[in-house]
Amino acid sequence: MQQVQKILKEHTMKIVLVLVFIFFTIITPNGQMFDASSFDSLIKQNAYVYILAIGMLMCMLIKGNIDLSVGSAVFFVDAIGAILMKKMDVPVWIAMLVMVLVGLAIGALIGWVVAFINIPPWIVTLAGYLAFRGWATALTDGQTIGGIPEGFTKLFAGYVPDIFGNPTCNITCIIIGIISCIAYIVIQVISRNNKVKKGYEVEKLSALIIKSVIITAVIMLFAYKLATNNGKGIPFYLIWVVVVALIYNFILSKTTLGRVFYAMGGNVEATRLSGINTKLILFFAYLNMQFLTVIAAWMAMTRFTSASSKLGLYFEMDAISACIVGGVSAYGGSGTVFGAIIGATLIGVINLGMSLVNLDNNWQKVVKGLVLLIAVVFEIFNNRKKTKA
């Protein structure tokens, strides 16, 4: 019984994600939520959320700090990119480099003010939220800049081609899914064996087997659905998300820098006294946030094939919600990349499901607000139980 309770507690949001997905599959017309096109849409519509959520995670680990400017920064960076590529006919790679430099400059400015001037992050980033959207609107004269070069959009909006040339089922996608499953199982086995050799506590073998079966089944379900979406296969958006997620998961779980982030979330002063330059780490968190914002901006621009005043609206809210729902503590010190991904996926499923049932946009905001509130209450309730224990 205790084992079941432990599993339910550790995997609450994953279980909720499955239940929410099943719920929308039942209520959407003809089970449209389970269509192959819906799986493809889920990735395309939420690619930027995954990227921004990973960056927001790094900020939130440090005492729950957030960045409210990322949505406006997406619009600002895209406005500059669109002007360079469309109006000034600058080569794509130069425009992308300028976008990166602009993003890093924004991150450096915010990080410097927060870390070294010691202004509260929410004030600094709220100023950025207002300033960068206003600046971008002025640069574009409030007009939409379309006609983004195909050479740029192909980097993100395309699909991995099927080497077998099957028009209805992308065999390459299926093969990649199988390889991913094998890689996951091998990594789990190696990790468990290493823990056993070092005398660490490990989960029961039966629990590992059940978890591996479920996760590999989910991977193969996605692979099959993407493969049968008119033979399109794996979207480039997904590759970008997976690469970024793997890199940052490695940083947070396997490197000294990652341990410092968690340590600062637990006690910034103790971390400083241990010899760590906490101001520099905080500066890096916001610099990194804006770097990932540039990647999210590229994805947003290719999805909408334009830069408009509506670009980036509520992106910061989606990223923060994804983190909170995914188990990232609002007080700092705990959270994982995989948790943020789960949270972003849950938010994405809710958004897609509500759209498919044609729920009014205003009520969609109400539902997302309630989901966020419930997630925070759930975290507080869990923390209180841990304190009493």
Side-chain angles (χ1 to χ4, degrees), residues 138-151:
L139 286 174
T140 60
D141 292 324
Q143 303 297 313
T144 297
I145 302 177
I148 304 302
E150 188 177 355

Side-chain angles (χ1 to χ4, degrees), residues 12 67 72 79 82 118 157-159 184 186 199 240 243 249 258 301 308 313 322 333 344 352 375:
T12 301
D67 190 339
S72 297
N118 202 30
Y159 293 85
Y184 172 80
V186 170
W240 279 90
V243 170
N249 182 68
M301 182 184 279
S308 70
L313 279 177
L352 181 60

Side-chain angles (χ1 to χ4, degrees), residues 41 44 84 91 100 108 115 132 138 141 163 181 297-298 351 360:
S41 297
K44 286 182 177 180
L84 290 173
V100 171
F132 293 121
D141 292 324
I163 60 176
C181 290
W298 289 339
N351 285 337
D360 181 79

